[in-house]
Amino acid sequence: MTVEQVSPVDVAELAARLDTAAVDATAIGQLADEVGLDVDGGYAVQAALVGRRLARGERLVGLKMGLTSRAKMAQVGVDEVIWGRLTDGMRVPDGGTVDPAAFIHPRAEPEVAFLLDRLPEPGEPVGDFTDAVRAVAPAIELIDSRYANFRFSLPDVIADNTSAAAFAIGPWSPVPDGLDNLGVLLEIDGRIAQVGSTAAILGDPRRALDEGLRLAGRYGVRPAGGWVFLAGAATAAVPLRPGNHVRAVVEKLGTATLKAAA
């Protein structure tokens, strides 16, 4: 089912089902096999899904990549990078607290975040870090598939806005040398849960930035100055439990933290 074949009614109904699942923190079955959804159709549903959040008063603040590491691809059983949208309603202050009960099966992962200074020009080599990129920071993303058992096809996860749930960003700093191979740790309650490198993010987080802007542009989405961009996870995701204290450490960039309410 291509985006041209998905009727507005179908798109709205599928988006409503995913939105209700997120609001009620209740998993649903996969949609793609049920309705024959493909990648283009998935992005049409994603746009409508995020549109429901915007209608409730949230605003777009950035973009995110998904499945940019082999570990994540293997973890969820798909094999193509994807992109999604971020709203201010998903943002958690660095060191802030989230309620695990507000999600279905949340997982935390360490990321690299970029802050865009302005709208890049078409074809501009953003990955070479022109002045379109203002700063970089360590980040934590909470992902929370709205599908039962965290199982889905590629169109399913795209429609579900790439499982986006929440994110926290640490202090911003100038882009350091060697961004393509910085050490990354994910700590849970002071213990190391995952070890990785920024090289796991498409070989270089700057590649993820280029790829994300290219893919989003294919669907008519271009970022604005001041938007953030989550480049993707450097390790596999770890389940978030009540009372957990999560810390992402990225070499040369520092830390980002969040807490789960008990």
Side-chain angles (χ1 to χ4, degrees), residues 42-251:
Y43 279 116
V45 175
Q46 179 191 121
L49 172 63
V50 175
R52 292 175 66 90
R53 298 183 70 119
L54 302 183
R56 291 197 291 268
E58 297 181 32
R59 62 185 179 85
L60 284 174
V61 295
L63 301 174
K64 58 153 289 186
M65 292 295 282
L67 309 178
T68 52
S69 74
R70 292 189 182 277
K72 283 303 302 297
M73 289 181 184
Q75 188 176 33
V76 299
V78 297
D79 59 2
E80 181 177 319
V81 295
I82 55 179
W83 65 277
R85 296 160 166 91
L86 300 173
T87 75
D88 60 343
M90 300 175 189
R91 188 159 194 167
V92 179
D94 186 26
T97 300
V98 298
D99 181 4
F103 307 104
I104 301 169
H105 28 215
R107 298 176 179 179
E109 53 190 29
E111 302 221 4
V112 169
F114 295 117
L115 179 62
L116 298 181
D117 199 37
R118 60 173 172 78
L119 180 67
E121 297 297 328
E124 182 177 1
V126 177
D128 291 337
F129 285 85
T130 65
D131 61 356
V133 175
R134 185 184 309 172
V136 65
I140 298 169
E141 185 183 7
L142 290 187
I143 56 172
D144 184 37
S145 174
R146 269 52 74 165
Y147 301 112
N149 303 313
F150 225 107
R151 296 181 61 84
F152 43 73
S153 67
L154 193 64
D156 280 316
V157 68
I158 290 170
D160 191 27
N161 195 30
T162 70
S163 304
F167 65 97
I169 297 177
W172 295 104
S173 61
V175 179
D177 294 333
L179 187 62
D180 59 336
N181 191 22
L182 301 179
V184 178
L185 298 177
L186 181 66
E187 298 177 354
I188 305 293
D189 300 332
R191 298 181 179 87
I192 296 174
Q194 293 285 329
V195 178
S197 165
T198 56
I201 306 172
L202 287 187
D204 184 332
R206 291 168 289 195
R207 264 186 216 148
L209 178 57
D210 275 340
E211 184 73 358
L213 295 178
R214 183 185 67 80
L215 291 173
R218 182 187 298 171
Y219 293 91
V221 177
R222 296 189 67 204
W227 275 23
V228 299
F229 184 95
L230 297 183
T235 73
V238 174
L240 183 73
R241 311 296 187 196
N244 280 165
H245 185 282
V246 183
R247 187 168 83 128
V249 183
V250 182
E251 182 184 2

Side-chain angles (χ1 to χ4, degrees), residues 1 14 17 29-39 42 147 152-157 159:
M1 179 181 288
L14 295 175
R17 287 166 64 178
Q30 295 182 40
L31 302 177
D33 287 345
E34 176 186 335
V35 300
L37 199 67
D38 71 358
V39 166
Y147 301 112
F152 43 73
S153 67
L154 193 64
D156 280 316
V157 68

